[in-house]
Amino acid sequence: MAARVIYPGTFDPITHGHSDLVQRAAALFEHVIVAIAANPPKAPTFALDERIEMARLALADIPGVEVCGFDKLLVDFAREREARVILRGLRAVSDFEYEFQLAGMNRRLASGIETLFLMPAEQYAYISSSLVREIAALGGDIAPFVHPRVMNALLARLRTGAGGNARKKDG
Ligand code: COA
């Protein structure tokens, strides 16, 4: 049985939906590695170190969780960290096609690594980081979707108008 699982994503920013998944994983595995991808093609709003810090704050109360950044192939990072299971969330059928492709390609690249899917709680099934950013930018209330410190960071970013990529380079 695998003792550790790696949960990769962009986490721009981490939401309650992500945290819900981490909580579920922490109940199944001794060690959960939340692996935050630099992911320059996605042009994240927050720089990698900011996303790491926000995730650490949001997940501080869940035992057995480690947050780190990575800037390489996910399967190489998983091997490096000796994780044989990749965790991904499935919120709706619409996630399936992309996840199917990702899991298939990762299996092709590293046959010894399995992808495991968990579903977040129903109330988080429709959350995404970009929707949260859009709601905040348009003055909506994001308190139900993110940790208070993440909300403050997002509101501060909107006030200053600086993008993570514009201000700081990821990586
Ligand atoms: N709750 C809430 N939102 C969730 C969620 C959950 N449980 N699960 C996913 N999401 C949302 C995210 O907020 C994000 O929303 P957004 O697109 O609006 O920002 C979206 O679903 C998908 O994001 P995420 O789960 O972070 O995945 P991603 O698609 O950004 O990440 C990587 C993909 C990082 C795993 C992938 O690009 C990767 O492995 N990169 C490393 C390089 C590599 O190995 N590439 C080859 C892969 S074969």
Side-chain angles (χ1 to χ4, degrees):
M1 277 298 289
R4 51 173 58 195
V5 65
I6 191 160
Y7 178 30
T10 311
F11 301 96
D12 185 37
I14 188 164
T15 68
H16 285 334
H18 294 121
S19 302
D20 178 90
L21 222 66
V22 174
Q23 202 133 27
R24 287 170 199 282
L28 298 171
F29 293 88
E30 279 168 25
H31 192 63
V32 181
I33 301 167
V34 176
I36 306 193
N39 213 349
K42 216 170 168 179
T45 296
F46 290 99
L48 180 60
D49 55 352
E50 294 173 309
R51 285 178 277 141
I52 292 172
E53 195 188 328
M54 286 189 285
R56 284 190 179 142
L57 286 170
L59 303 171
D61 293 339
I62 311 177
V65 175
E66 176 193 358
V67 179
C68 50
F70 74 104
D71 192 7
K72 55 175 71 174
L73 269 184
L74 172 61
V75 290
D76 287 344
F77 189 61
R79 279 197 198 105
E80 209 173 90
R81 299 303 318 271
E82 296 176 352
R84 284 178 33 235
V85 182
I86 293 170
L87 171 68
R88 292 288 291 169
L90 271 185
R91 291 162 300 168
V93 178
S94 52
D95 281 344
F96 180 77
E97 208 164 302
Y98 174 60
E99 295 300 335
F100 181 77
Q101 192 181 13
L102 206 63
M105 189 55 85
N106 282 328
R107 176 177 281 171
R108 186 74 194 272
L109 293 171
S111 59
I113 297 179
E114 293 291 348
T115 302
L116 178 77
F117 295 98
L118 290 177
M119 289 191 300
E122 264 170 46
Q123 69 264 35
Y124 303 129
Y126 50 85
I127 301 183
S128 78
S129 301
S130 53
L131 270 185
V132 166
R133 292 196 308 272
E134 185 179 331
I135 292 164
L138 296 172
D141 181 19
I142 56 165
F145 311 127
V146 294
H147 188 279
R149 301 277 292 268
V150 173
M151 180 171 81
N152 290 340
L154 192 42
L155 297 178
R157 172 54 52 84
L158 288 168
R159 273 195 300 274
T160 61
N165 286 298
R167 227 166 43 82
K168 230 184 265 185
K169 198 176 176 306
D170 265 356

